[in-house]
Amino acid sequence: MDPVDVWLSQPLTAWSGVLDVLDAIERERADAMAPDRRAAFVTGRLLLRAALGSALGCPPAEVRLDSSCGCGRPHGPVRVLPAGPWVSVTRHGPVVAVALRAAGPVGLDIASVAAVAAAPLTGVLS
């Protein structure tokens, strides 16, 4: 089985001077978000670009990403262009995480222990 690289971070509280790493579509999406969601989104994209830049041997700002969905808006799964590693980005509470896998799809999700413990499993397990 091939490796999966996982990167973790807390959402940034300030990002002055680093937004130029994001592309215009990412900056536009961030500008439209509420502050708490914006912090997690920006951190996720910066973390993703840093991880990919390291893996691909290029500056993070040069990584080409696409997150267009079937409706044409940029809120679908993130893909690396032209054909890079498979990626997954998730955020929950004080954690943002990115996973990279070269050989095929990867999925990453974060949930708090309290949220999982409180979730009813009867409908899932029956």
Side-chain angles (χ1 to χ4, degrees), residues 6-9 44 47 88-92 95-99 108 110:
V6 178
W7 297 49
L8 300 170
S9 178
L47 187 62
S88 181
V89 181
T90 187
R91 51 197 178 267
H92 179 77
V95 180
V96 177
V98 168
L108 180 65
I110 298 174

Side-chain angles (χ1 to χ4, degrees), residues 20-106:
D20 56 339
V21 172
L22 304 182
D23 66 26
I25 293 170
E26 291 166 326
R27 289 190 300 270
E28 185 177 314
R29 281 188 68 193
D31 287 344
M33 294 178 177
D36 60 330
R37 290 189 45 82
R38 181 182 311 126
F41 175 78
V42 168
T43 302
R45 287 306 172 97
L46 291 172
L47 187 62
L48 177 60
R49 287 177 167 282
L52 285 166
S54 177
L56 300 172
C58 67
E62 291 180 14
V63 172
R64 291 184 47 225
L65 301 174
D66 176 53
S67 60
S68 57
C69 109
C71 75
R73 298 188 62 215
H75 57 221
V78 182
R79 292 172 301 282
V80 182
L81 300 176
W86 293 82
V87 300
S88 181
V89 181
T90 187
R91 51 197 178 267
H92 179 77
V95 180
V96 177
V98 168
L100 279 68
R101 182 172 181 234
V106 62

